[in-house]
Amino acid sequence: MHGEQTRQRPTRWREAHPEAFEELKRTYGVIGHSSVLMVLSLSLIGTALTIGYLHLPGWLEPAVRLAASVAAVGCAAVALWRLIRGLWRAVRAVVRTRRPSPQLS
C-alpha cells in the first residue's frame, strides 16, 4: 500500500447518463413487445392459410381469410413501427451522450 493514496472508482456509464440508460431499458421492452406482435402476425398468417380446411360456407371463408390477413399485416406494421421508433430513440440517446455538453461561462 502506498500511504494514503485513495483510488476513486471510475464513474459507470449508466450512472453518468441516467436518461440514456433509461431509454435503453425502455428499448428492451419495446423489442420484447414487437417480438410478441411478430409472432402473433405469423400465427394469423397460418390461420389465414388453414381456413380452407374448415370448409366454411360461401362468403364466410374469404371473409375470415381476409380478416386474418388484414390483422396479420396490421400486427406486423405496428411491430415494425414500434421497433424502428424504439431503436431510433435509443441510438439518439446514446449519440447525445457522445457530444460534449456546452460549457456555460
Side-chain angles (χ1 to χ4, degrees), residues 73-97:
V73 169
C75 283
V78 168
L80 283 174
W81 170 249
R82 285 182 53 92
L83 183 64
I84 290 169
R85 187 181 67 177
L87 290 175
W88 171 252
R89 286 182 175 177
V91 167
R92 194 174 62 192
V94 170
V95 167
R96 278 192 202 134
T97 65

Side-chain angles (χ1 to χ4, degrees), residues 3 20 30 34-35 40-41 48 60 67-70 90-91 96 100:
V30 168
S34 295
S35 299
L40 177 61
S41 176
L60 193 56
S69 297
V70 168
V91 167
R96 278 192 202 134

Side-chain angles (χ1 to χ4, degrees), residues 10 15 24 26 36 43 48 55 60 65-66 77 81-82 94 100:
E15 293 169 356
L24 289 175
R26 223 174 285 124
V36 169
S43 176
H55 303 293
L60 193 56
R65 275 189 188 199
L66 180 64
W81 170 249
R82 285 182 53 92
V94 170

Side-chain angles (χ1 to χ4, degrees), residues 23-80:
E23 192 64 49
L24 289 175
K25 283 192 344 187
R26 223 174 285 124
T27 301
Y28 288 129
V30 168
I31 290 171
H33 186 252
S34 295
S35 299
V36 169
L37 285 173
M38 285 295 192
V39 169
L40 177 61
S41 176
L42 291 173
S43 176
L44 287 166
I45 290 170
T47 301
L49 293 174
T50 57
I51 290 294
Y53 294 110
L54 295 178
H55 303 293
L56 298 173
W59 61 270
L60 193 56
E61 181 180 334
V64 171
R65 275 189 188 199
L66 180 64
S69 297
V70 168
V73 169
C75 283
V78 168
L80 283 174

